[in-house]
Amino acid sequence: MATFLFRLGRLAFRRRRAVVLLWIVVLAVVGLGAAQVSGSSNDTFTIPGSQSQKALDLLEREFPQASADGATARVVFEVPSGQQLTSADHKAEVESLVAELKKAPQVASVADPYTSRLVSQDGMVAYAQVTYKVAQADVSDKARKALHEIAEKGDKAGLTVSMGGNAVNEKAENGATELIGLLVAAVALVITFGSLAAAGLPLLTAIFGVALAMLSISIATGLWNLSSSAPTLALMLGLAVAVDYALFIVSRYRSELQEGHEPEEAAGRALGTAGSAVVFAGLTVLIALAGLSIIGIRMLTDIGLSAAFSVAMAVVITLTLLPALLGFAGKRITAKKLKTRRFRARERGEGEGEAMGVRWARFVTRNPVKMLAVSMVGLLALAIPALSLETAMPDDSSKPPGSTQRIAYDTISKGFGAGYNGPLTVVVDARGSDDAKTAAQDAVTLLGKLDDVASVGPATFNHGGDVAVIRAVPKSSPDSQETVDLVADIRDQDAALQKDTGAALLVTGTTALNIDVSAKLSDSLVPYLAVVVGLALVLLLLVFRSLLVPLKAAMGFLLSLFATLGVVVAVFQWGWLADVFGVDQTSPIVSLLPIFLVGVVFGLAMDYEVFLVTRMREAYVHGAEPTEAVVSGFRHSARVVTAAAVIMISVFGGFLLNDQALIRSIGLGLATAVLFDAFVVRMTLVPAVMTLLGRRAWSLPRWLDRRLPDVDVEGEKLQRMLEKSAPADAAPAGPDGPADDDREPVGPGITGS
């Protein structure tokens, strides 16, 4: 691995013009493709095998005119206090608007408030339920525009009109989010490197890689209906890891220049050492993200694969475009302070010039037990709120205050009760029954006896008269535990109904689908964690050739994860620091968040583990004592790991400005996870544990050592090869790299510098 990347780095450095031109052409081609081929996003959940999905599929076959899987909207009408929608003037206006809704593009049906008993008891609130012929992803701009125009007409007529449902597609503007992340990243890079050129290269490659990934994802939307959250999260992760990976390569390149190597040689060595860590760090992230596809939920698969593709692009760009750009920068990438005696002393860890990271490492290695205890107690204390974790899928109640969806939700809750925002669709499959009408009536009776049912509508039959649909409205809100229990209670009635009538009882609808998705995610969490962590541990075993180091890495990740979940629960569910994080009301945690955090946080945690511990192993392999190897790892990596963490925290923290609850909670979760993992686990727990383990940290049974392939992440084979070819590599070079780009190879695959 190291020798291959060494050759790749030198090749890209020498052929820098061709490499840069090639990538520009690729970006242009992909950009043209995105301009020609792009599609809409889709936030519809499908969960094959669940009862709600089976019932939905049955409705699509038996009630095609109802468009069971079509997008929906609720148009809510409200009048000022003292007035009523049942008055002649208001009723005429509402009926006129409903008539226009029925003629709007792509509309399949509209439930009239007056004929469907959708007027509140006080007569101040009513709503029309709109069903579209197409799924949410296919609702046209023309159809949405018509919906808004009808609402505006109602407002002009003296009504207060708001709209909810998945057909109302209000997208948050997130331009400031990425800008803030990039600005903080730029400042952190300038402080780290003390050079504008060195700081600019990671940003340039990150922007290039993210642009290429986002354009590619745009093309993918023309072929598949991707989730609307997929591009946002791909951008978030792609930007963060791209800057980090480039940061480590540039830092190693500058270190090699400081050691006296010429630019081309330094680029090859940087890629052969830090590049190996980038590859394996990237692989851990890819495993974690791609592993989300095993859950079996389309939205999560879209998010995982899109983000994984963005990370893959970051790795490829870092290994090819970055060394080419280093060829243009040459030695100008170094800051003047690199030439000062004090800075060189700090880099060697000598005297008063010791870097802060070195001083911290020595402090931890002198007090390993105390630092281990303090860190673990602190993380475990932060994890306590996670014991109260409640999850639910987001609905209109989680929309931003003042948005039309949120106003519609609150208005319906005020006029009818929270349960009317999430009615249940109960299906009676009487194809195996002798008397379908009796079965349906028995189902209505059973539903009416349940405690949390606010109302039950009459049964509506299909043309064949053997499948019926019943509308049941819960008393509780769609995301409440009471509604979850109600769905379970209704499904429990299935056995009794089948025994008495031979008909099956099924529950579906958006609320039931969301409940099934949450249950699926909860059930999948442990198997997913086992698969992802298991695969990554195998990868880390190859990287570090140790049993204890990967286990220690996994345990540190679990501490970071539970502490992060504790913080998220405290903020979004308990309301702690709600004003600081823009949380206007507490609610259960979005069901996707825990399993998404498992995947992403594990990948990012392993990034820091690989970057930090590979330098420790490199020092140990080259003869350093175990404790000194820990200090050496900090001497070379602590500064850039700190900068990388600050950049990631700023990028992820910027997503707290997003209006979507899912994105906002993921932003806080990821920023907190990086904070805990980088500064508590990797900077404190890791050196403490490595000190306590000593040489045992690097032990590996001989039989296993013989069977494992040697990936040479620390570059030991590369070092031996370079030492053999050193006499032939003494050719002079100019200040910006070798003058001759066509030298003959000195050794196998190595060209002289």
Side-chain angles (χ1 to χ4, degrees):
M1 173 67 74
T3 53
F4 168 76
L5 292 176
F6 171 80
R7 296 164 185 162
L8 177 63
R10 293 187 61 172
L11 177 64
F13 188 99
R14 287 198 309 274
R15 308 297 182 187
R16 46 190 173 273
R17 292 178 179 83
V19 171
V20 171
L21 180 61
L22 177 61
W23 275 117
I24 291 175
V25 170
V26 170
L27 181 63
V29 171
V30 174
L32 290 174
Q36 298 295 323
V37 181
S38 62
S40 58
S41 60
N42 180 16
D43 287 327
T44 302
F45 283 95
T46 59
I47 179 167
S50 66
Q51 186 187 111
S52 54
Q53 189 65 48
K54 291 177 181 177
L56 193 62
D57 295 340
L58 177 61
L59 290 179
E60 290 178 20
R61 294 194 304 269
E62 301 298 332
F63 294 86
Q65 73 282 0
S67 188
D69 64 340
T72 60
R74 289 182 297 275
V75 181
V76 185
F77 309 97
E78 185 180 16
V79 291
S81 179
Q83 301 182 30
Q84 288 192 327
L85 286 164
T86 52
S87 67
D89 291 343
H90 287 317
K91 183 176 181 180
E93 183 61 35
V94 170
E95 288 180 336
S96 174
L97 295 174
V98 170
E100 290 191 45
L101 280 172
K102 292 179 179 178
K103 298 177 183 178
Q106 298 181 316
V107 170
S109 63
V110 180
D112 186 287
Y114 299 100
T115 60
S116 302
R117 296 185 299 174
L118 299 178
V119 180
S120 63
Q121 289 184 354
D122 60 9
M124 294 179 59
V125 179
Y127 70 95
Q129 185 71 29
V130 184
T131 302
Y132 285 83
K133 300 176 183 177
V134 296
Q136 184 267 337
D138 299 318
V139 175
S140 65
D141 292 337
K142 186 177 180 181
R144 291 194 179 94
K145 183 179 179 182
L147 197 61
H148 286 278
E149 288 175 350
I150 292 171
E152 290 174 2
K153 288 182 180 180
D155 290 334
K156 291 178 181 178
L159 304 172
T160 299
V161 183
S162 54
M163 299 171 294
N166 59 16
V168 184
N169 188 20
E170 288 188 350
K171 293 185 177 180
E173 296 295 332
N174 301 316
T177 299
E178 295 82 7
L179 182 59
I180 291 173
L182 284 174
L183 289 176
V184 176
V187 172
L189 288 168
V190 171
I191 293 174
T192 301
F193 290 130
S195 165
L196 291 177
L201 286 183
L203 288 176
L204 179 60
T205 55
I207 293 172
F208 191 97
V210 167
L212 189 58
M214 297 307 293
L215 290 172
S216 301
I217 292 173
S218 179
I219 294 176
T221 61
L223 305 175
W224 303 281
N225 286 328
L226 296 181
S227 165
S228 63
S229 299
T232 303
L233 296 172
L235 173 62
M236 177 197 297
L237 293 173
L239 183 62
V241 300
V243 173
D244 276 10
Y245 294 165
L247 168 63
F248 281 96
I249 297 294
V250 172
S251 176
R252 189 60 181 252
Y253 173 74
R254 284 158 52 96
S255 177
E256 295 296 338
L257 288 178
Q258 183 188 352
E259 294 295 326
H261 299 294
E262 292 301 324
E264 182 182 326
E265 180 76 8
R269 288 173 178 262
L271 227 66
T273 50
S276 298
V278 166
V279 170
F280 282 96
L283 283 175
T284 59
V285 181
L286 288 176
I287 288 173
L289 291 173
L292 291 171
S293 60
I294 70 176
I295 306 302
I297 296 177
R298 174 67 182 274
M299 180 181 181
L300 207 56
T301 299
D302 291 346
I303 291 174
L305 293 182
S306 298
F309 177 76
S310 184
V311 171
M313 289 305 307
V315 173
V316 174
I317 291 292
T318 301
L319 298 180
T320 55
L321 180 61
L322 181 58
L325 295 177
L326 291 174
F328 289 104
K331 291 184 177 179
R332 292 187 297 273
I333 200 171
T334 59
K336 291 183 179 180
K337 65 180 182 180
L338 279 176
K339 300 177 182 179
T340 65
R341 181 178 303 174
R342 182 181 178 186
F343 186 81
R344 288 175 178 172
R346 286 179 58 187
E347 287 295 303
R348 293 192 299 268
E350 298 173 354
E352 297 180 357
E354 278 190 338
M356 184 179 296
V358 175
R359 296 198 299 272
W360 174 252
R362 294 195 187 281
F363 173 76
V364 174
T365 54
R366 285 196 301 267
N367 306 277
V369 176
K370 293 180 181 179
M371 298 306 297
L372 180 62
V374 170
S375 300
M376 290 190 66
V377 169
L379 290 175
L380 290 173
L382 289 170
I384 291 175
L387 298 174
S388 303
L389 176 68
E390 297 177 5
T391 60
M393 293 303 298
D395 54 23
D396 284 350
S397 66
S398 63
K399 297 295 182 182
S403 66
T404 186
Q405 296 102 319
R406 178 65 175 276
I407 294 172
Y409 183 95
D410 293 340
T411 303
I412 289 177
S413 298
K414 178 177 64 176
F416 299 90
Y420 277 79
N421 286 290
L424 303 175
T425 301
V426 181
V427 181
V428 180
D429 184 3
R431 290 174 296 178
S433 174
D434 295 331
D435 190 346
K437 290 186 178 180
T438 300
Q441 186 56 48
D442 287 352
V444 171
T445 303
L446 286 172
L447 292 171
K449 294 179 180 179
L450 297 176
D451 292 336
D452 201 49
V453 173
S455 68
V456 181
T460 302
F461 285 89
N462 64 340
H463 291 300
D466 53 3
V467 177
V469 176
I470 304 169
R471 183 174 182 266
V473 178
K475 293 179 182 178
S476 306
S477 62
D479 62 355
S480 67
Q481 184 59 43
E482 290 80 6
T483 301
V484 174
D485 295 338
L486 174 61
V487 171
D489 290 342
I490 294 174
R491 287 171 174 169
D492 288 342
Q493 304 300 318
D494 175 58
L497 188 66
Q498 287 205 42
K499 180 180 179 181
D500 294 340
T501 67
L505 194 65
L506 308 171
V507 186
T508 188
T510 302
T511 301
L513 276 168
N514 287 344
I515 290 171
D516 286 346
V517 167
S518 295
K520 175 74 171 178
L521 290 170
S522 297
D523 294 341
S524 301
L525 182 59
V526 173
Y528 169 70
L529 185 62
V531 170
V532 171
V533 173
L535 290 175
L537 286 177
V538 172
L539 192 63
L540 293 176
L541 178 64
L542 293 175
V543 173
F544 297 123
R545 306 192 75 77
S546 163
L547 291 175
L548 295 178
V549 170
L551 290 174
K552 176 260 309 169
M555 293 303 296
F557 151 72
L558 291 175
L559 286 171
S560 298
L561 174 66
F562 289 121
T564 298
L565 288 175
V567 170
V568 172
V569 168
V571 173
F572 287 95
Q573 191 174 308
W574 291 1
W576 293 5
L577 301 176
D579 294 337
V580 175
F581 294 103
V583 180
D584 61 290
Q585 69 174 25
T586 60
S587 62
I589 305 304
V590 179
S591 298
L592 292 171
L593 182 61
I595 202 162
F596 184 78
L597 280 180
V598 168
V600 177
V601 173
F602 185 80
L604 298 181
M606 295 308 102
D607 273 5
Y608 297 121
E609 180 76 13
V610 170
F611 289 131
L612 190 60
V613 180
T614 48
R615 292 307 294 257
M616 296 181 188
R617 176 167 172 77
E618 186 176 340
Y620 179 77
V621 167
H622 293 143
E625 291 297 318
T627 300
E628 191 55 39
V630 172
V631 176
S632 178
F634 271 73
R635 178 179 297 116
H636 294 292
S637 299
R639 194 176 182 204
V640 288
V641 167
T642 300
V646 170
I647 291 169
M648 278 203 175
I649 291 170
S650 64
V651 172
F652 296 148
F655 281 82
L656 286 168
L657 302 176
N658 196 291
D659 286 336
Q660 296 184 46
L662 173 61
I663 302 299
R664 203 163 59 239
S665 58
I666 287 178
L668 175 63
L670 292 179
T672 304
V674 171
L675 176 67
F676 291 157
D677 199 85
F679 295 109
V680 180
V681 174
R682 308 305 155 189
M683 291 291 188
T684 306
L685 283 177
V686 167
V689 173
M690 296 294 286
T691 300
L692 293 173
L693 291 176
R695 295 186 183 277
R696 289 171 294 177
W698 307 111
S699 62
L700 186 68
R702 291 183 179 179
W703 64 268
L704 183 58
D705 186 44
R706 290 193 299 268
R707 287 168 172 78
L708 288 179
D710 187 0
V711 295
D712 191 29
V713 174
E714 68 277 356
E716 186 179 8
K717 291 182 179 179
L718 173 63
Q719 185 65 32
R720 290 198 300 265
M721 186 175 64
L722 292 174
E723 289 172 355
K724 291 180 181 179
S725 60
D729 284 348
D736 295 327
D740 187 1
D741 284 350
D742 298 313
R743 293 176 298 278
E744 293 297 324
V746 181
I750 306 174
T751 55
S753 54

